Amino acid sequence: MVSETFINLSDEKKTRIEKALLKEFSTYPLAKAQVARIVKDAGIARGAFYKYFGDLRDAYLYLYRLAMKEVHMGSPARLKEFDPESFYQMTVNFIDQTKNSIYFDLIKLHLSQNQSFLGDDKKQKDAFLNLDSQVWAAMVLTHEAIDLALFDKENKEKILKRYHESLCLLQRK
């Protein structure tokens, strides 16, 4: 958990720490990340790191949430009704914004290694269980399409076409 102390830091210091976190978590998977490199890059004491974050996982989750917030800007709030075109456009926008984001390498590492390392997110699982079946299926397809399209640039258009076709099939329920 991020502490109030960190939240109340000056913008300059918070930005310096966030840049160090981004460098570390964009270069190393969470399992190989080191507080030592972060504090050196941020120019803070090791004790300060633990005053701001409970551990590396907390620091990682803080940064990842920042990344998701930036990349999702302009996306509609969570879709409650199934609309294939809205899901498709939201996914394409996310992929395009991610490619152009300072968080691109972080997101790729998250999908390839850190997501499974972090384990299950009970809150997210509970939210999925309350979704309409079509929305749930579309979200599962969406996450898979994003994962595939970000790692296979050569086949990105084919992946997105297949994703769109699959979304349309869901509508024919």
Side-chain angles (χ1 to χ4, degrees):
M1 185 124 227
V2 177
S3 73
E4 280 294 316
T5 306
F6 178 76
I7 292 167
N8 293 324
L9 287 175
S10 69
D11 289 342
E12 182 271 324
K13 189 168 188 176
K14 199 183 310 181
T15 299
R16 198 171 68 235
I17 294 167
E18 288 169 356
K19 283 182 180 179
L21 293 173
L22 181 60
K23 180 179 176 186
E24 184 70 11
F25 296 133
S26 294
T27 307
Y28 301 96
L30 188 53
K32 295 182 180 180
Q34 294 180 3
V35 172
R37 285 190 295 255
I38 294 168
V39 298
K40 182 179 179 189
D41 286 345
I44 61 171
R46 188 177 186 90
F49 176 88
Y50 289 106
K51 191 174 182 182
Y52 305 146
F53 307 101
D55 56 20
L56 274 171
R57 185 180 191 275
D58 286 344
Y60 177 82
L61 289 172
Y62 166 78
L63 186 69
Y64 190 73
R65 286 180 185 125
L66 272 184
M68 289 297 98
K69 194 176 192 180
E70 179 192 295
V71 173
H72 278 297
M73 286 183 102
S75 294
R78 175 163 269 161
L79 298 170
K80 297 198 185 332
E81 287 183 20
F82 180 69
D83 173 25
E85 297 308 317
S86 294
F87 267 92
Y88 178 75
Q89 197 54 57
M90 183 177 66
T91 302
V92 170
N93 290 346
F94 177 84
I95 290 168
D96 289 344
Q97 283 184 281
T98 299
K99 285 188 322 192
N100 298 319
S101 171
I102 61 169
Y103 298 110
F104 181 72
D105 291 330
L106 171 77
I107 292 167
K108 282 186 74 173
L109 262 179
H110 179 81
L111 292 171
S112 67
Q113 297 186 41
N114 294 335
Q115 185 172 280
S116 60
F117 183 76
L118 289 169
D120 292 336
D121 182 347
K122 183 174 173 14
K123 195 174 181 181
Q124 186 178 32
K125 272 189 174 180
D126 290 345
F128 275 158
L129 292 174
N130 294 320
L131 292 173
D132 169 81
S133 296
Q134 284 178 311
V135 174
W136 178 82
M139 288 184 80
V140 170
L141 281 170
T142 300
H143 289 138
E144 187 63 21
I146 289 168
D147 195 0
L148 291 170
L150 284 177
F151 287 101
D152 189 354
K153 292 177 187 177
E154 190 176 299
N155 291 307
K156 176 186 160 200
E157 294 308 317
K158 287 180 191 174
I159 292 163
L160 289 175
K161 183 177 188 266
R162 181 91 185 249
Y163 166 66
H164 189 256
E165 291 168 356
S166 299
L167 288 173
C168 291
L169 287 172
L170 283 174
Q171 191 171 33
R172 297 183 196 147
K173 144 182 161 175

Short mmCIF file of all heavy atoms in Angstrom, two decimals, residues 1 4 19 26 40 44 49 51 62 67 83 97 101-102 119 121 129 132 134 137 161:
data_model
loop_
_atom_site.label_atom_id
_atom_site.label_comp_id
_atom_site.label_asym_id
_atom_site.label_seq_id
_atom_site.Cartn_x
_atom_site.Cartn_y
_atom_site.Cartn_z
N MET A 1 0.84 -1.18 0.00
CA MET A 1 0.00 0.00 0.00
C MET A 1 0.89 1.25 0.00
O MET A 1 1.89 1.31 0.69
CB MET A 1 -0.87 -0.03 1.25
CG MET A 1 -1.86 1.06 1.32
SD MET A 1 -3.46 0.33 1.49
CE MET A 1 -4.39 1.19 0.32
N GLU A 4 0.56 7.68 2.90
CA GLU A 4 0.19 9.10 2.83
C GLU A 4 1.45 9.95 2.68
O GLU A 4 1.43 10.99 2.03
CB GLU A 4 -0.57 9.52 4.08
CG GLU A 4 -2.03 9.12 4.08
CD GLU A 4 -2.84 9.84 3.02
OE1 GLU A 4 -2.68 11.07 2.84
OE2 GLU A 4 -3.64 9.17 2.35
N LYS A 19 9.84 7.91 -11.83
CA LYS A 19 10.75 7.63 -12.95
C LYS A 19 11.68 6.46 -12.63
O LYS A 19 11.95 5.61 -13.48
CB LYS A 19 11.57 8.87 -13.31
CG LYS A 19 10.80 9.90 -14.09
CD LYS A 19 11.67 11.09 -14.46
CE LYS A 19 10.87 12.12 -15.23
NZ LYS A 19 11.66 13.29 -15.59
N SER A 26 10.24 -1.48 -15.92
CA SER A 26 10.19 -1.62 -17.38
C SER A 26 11.37 -2.44 -17.89
O SER A 26 11.38 -2.90 -19.02
CB SER A 26 10.22 -0.25 -18.05
OG SER A 26 9.06 0.47 -17.75
N LYS A 40 18.75 4.09 -5.64
CA LYS A 40 19.92 4.75 -6.24
C LYS A 40 19.47 5.71 -7.34
O LYS A 40 19.90 6.87 -7.38
CB LYS A 40 20.89 3.71 -6.80
CG LYS A 40 22.13 4.31 -7.40
CD LYS A 40 23.06 3.23 -7.92
CE LYS A 40 24.29 3.87 -8.55
NZ LYS A 40 25.11 2.91 -9.25
N ILE A 44 17.11 8.44 -3.10
CA ILE A 44 16.49 8.41 -1.77
C ILE A 44 17.12 7.29 -0.95
O ILE A 44 17.78 6.40 -1.49
CB ILE A 44 14.96 8.19 -1.85
CG1 ILE A 44 14.62 6.84 -2.52
CG2 ILE A 44 14.28 9.36 -2.56
CD1 ILE A 44 13.15 6.45 -2.45
N PHE A 49 12.20 4.41 0.98
CA PHE A 49 11.41 3.57 0.08
C PHE A 49 10.35 2.81 0.89
O PHE A 49 9.18 2.78 0.52
CB PHE A 49 12.30 2.58 -0.68
CG PHE A 49 11.52 1.63 -1.55
CD1 PHE A 49 11.19 1.98 -2.85
CD2 PHE A 49 11.10 0.39 -1.06
CE1 PHE A 49 10.45 1.11 -3.65
CE2 PHE A 49 10.36 -0.47 -1.85
CZ PHE A 49 10.03 -0.11 -3.15
N LYS A 51 9.23 3.55 3.73
CA LYS A 51 8.30 4.49 4.35
C LYS A 51 7.19 4.85 3.36
O LYS A 51 6.06 5.11 3.76
CB LYS A 51 9.07 5.75 4.77
CG LYS A 51 8.33 6.69 5.65
CD LYS A 51 9.25 7.81 6.10
CE LYS A 51 8.55 8.75 7.04
NZ LYS A 51 9.42 9.85 7.45
N TYR A 62 1.39 0.39 -7.54
CA TYR A 62 1.18 1.84 -7.63
C TYR A 62 1.50 2.32 -9.05
O TYR A 62 0.71 3.01 -9.68
CB TYR A 62 2.05 2.57 -6.60
CG TYR A 62 2.14 4.05 -6.86
CD1 TYR A 62 1.08 4.89 -6.51
CD2 TYR A 62 3.24 4.61 -7.50
CE1 TYR A 62 1.14 6.26 -6.79
CE2 TYR A 62 3.30 5.96 -7.77
CZ TYR A 62 2.25 6.78 -7.42
OH TYR A 62 2.31 8.12 -7.71
N ALA A 67 -0.03 3.73 -14.84
CA ALA A 67 0.05 3.43 -16.27
C ALA A 67 -1.34 3.17 -16.84
O ALA A 67 -1.70 3.72 -17.89
CB ALA A 67 0.96 2.22 -16.51
N ASP A 83 -21.70 -4.25 -26.53
CA ASP A 83 -21.73 -3.59 -27.82
C ASP A 83 -20.40 -3.91 -28.51
O ASP A 83 -19.36 -3.40 -28.11
CB ASP A 83 -21.91 -2.08 -27.66
CG ASP A 83 -21.79 -1.34 -28.99
OD1 ASP A 83 -22.04 -1.94 -30.05
OD2 ASP A 83 -21.42 -0.15 -28.95
N GLN A 97 -2.65 3.58 -27.85
CA GLN A 97 -2.14 4.45 -26.80
C GLN A 97 -0.99 3.79 -26.05
O GLN A 97 -0.03 4.45 -25.68
CB GLN A 97 -3.25 4.83 -25.82
CG GLN A 97 -4.17 5.89 -26.37
CD GLN A 97 -5.19 6.31 -25.35
OE1 GLN A 97 -6.17 5.62 -25.15
NE2 GLN A 97 -4.95 7.43 -24.71
N SER A 101 2.99 5.09 -25.39
CA SER A 101 3.10 5.50 -23.99
C SER A 101 4.48 5.21 -23.42
O SER A 101 5.16 4.27 -23.84
CB SER A 101 2.05 4.72 -23.17
OG SER A 101 2.25 4.92 -21.79
N ILE A 102 4.89 6.02 -22.44
CA ILE A 102 6.14 5.74 -21.73
C ILE A 102 6.03 4.44 -20.95
O ILE A 102 7.03 3.89 -20.51
CB ILE A 102 6.52 6.89 -20.77
CG1 ILE A 102 5.45 7.09 -19.69
CG2 ILE A 102 6.82 8.16 -21.53
CD1 ILE A 102 5.86 8.01 -18.56
N GLY A 119 -0.35 -13.05 -8.98
CA GLY A 119 -1.43 -13.91 -8.51
C GLY A 119 -2.79 -13.31 -8.79
O GLY A 119 -2.92 -12.32 -9.49
N ASP A 121 -6.35 -11.47 -8.40
CA ASP A 121 -6.91 -10.26 -7.82
C ASP A 121 -8.36 -10.58 -7.49
O ASP A 121 -9.22 -10.59 -8.36
CB ASP A 121 -6.80 -9.11 -8.82
CG ASP A 121 -7.31 -7.80 -8.27
OD1 ASP A 121 -7.98 -7.81 -7.22
OD2 ASP A 121 -7.04 -6.76 -8.90
N LEU A 129 -17.52 -11.85 -11.97
CA LEU A 129 -18.63 -12.76 -11.69
C LEU A 129 -19.99 -12.05 -11.76
O LEU A 129 -21.00 -12.69 -11.99
CB LEU A 129 -18.46 -13.42 -10.33
CG LEU A 129 -17.30 -14.40 -10.23
CD1 LEU A 129 -17.13 -14.89 -8.79
CD2 LEU A 129 -17.50 -15.59 -11.16
N ASP A 132 -22.69 -9.39 -16.99
CA ASP A 132 -23.50 -10.10 -17.97
C ASP A 132 -22.58 -11.07 -18.73
O ASP A 132 -21.41 -10.76 -18.97
CB ASP A 132 -24.11 -9.05 -18.90
CG ASP A 132 -24.76 -9.66 -20.11
OD1 ASP A 132 -25.90 -10.11 -19.99
OD2 ASP A 132 -24.10 -9.69 -21.19
N GLN A 134 -22.32 -11.93 -21.88
CA GLN A 134 -21.71 -11.39 -23.10
C GLN A 134 -20.58 -10.42 -22.77
O GLN A 134 -19.52 -10.46 -23.40
CB GLN A 134 -22.76 -10.67 -23.95
CG GLN A 134 -23.68 -11.59 -24.71
CD GLN A 134 -24.71 -10.79 -25.48
OE1 GLN A 134 -25.35 -9.89 -24.94
NE2 GLN A 134 -24.88 -11.13 -26.75
N ALA A 137 -17.58 -12.47 -21.55
CA ALA A 137 -16.89 -13.13 -22.67
C ALA A 137 -16.10 -12.11 -23.49
O ALA A 137 -14.97 -12.37 -23.90
CB ALA A 137 -17.90 -13.87 -23.54
N LYS A 161 -8.69 -8.27 -36.44
CA LYS A 161 -9.81 -8.67 -37.31
C LYS A 161 -10.53 -9.89 -36.70
O LYS A 161 -11.75 -9.92 -36.62
CB LYS A 161 -9.29 -9.00 -38.71
CG LYS A 161 -10.38 -9.35 -39.70
CD LYS A 161 -9.78 -9.58 -41.09
CE LYS A 161 -10.87 -9.76 -42.12
NZ LYS A 161 -11.22 -11.12 -42.37
#
